[in-house]
């Protein structure tokens, strides 16, 4: 289901970056699942975790 969003989001990403909504694309890991690839398109690191206390 998420993979279906990827092409459209990829097409919109340059404009979203111009508008400062997305960051620069983050390189996803090889073989990353669709959710991670879509998240990386928005400039977010799919491997990010909050700091532990």
């Amino acid at each position: 289901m998420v993979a279906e969003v990827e092409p459209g989001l990829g097409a919109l990403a340059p404009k979203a970056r111009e508008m400062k909504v997305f960051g620069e694309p983050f390189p996803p890991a090889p073989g990353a699942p669709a959710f991670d690839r879509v998240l990386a398109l928005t400039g977010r690191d799919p491997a990010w975790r909050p700091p532990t206390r």
Side-chain angles (χ1 to χ4, degrees):
M1 204 178 249
V2 174
E4 295 172 3
V5 175
E6 194 172 359
L9 188 64
L12 295 174
K15 188 64 173 174
R17 284 187 195 91
E18 276 181 38
M19 298 172 64
K20 309 289 187 213
V21 176
F22 287 0
E24 289 302 311
F26 194 89
F35 180 81
D36 288 2
R37 292 191 314 268
V38 166
L39 195 60
L41 268 175
T42 69
R44 278 41 173 206
D45 178 0
W48 182 88
R49 300 292 180 263
T52 57
R53 292 183 182 197

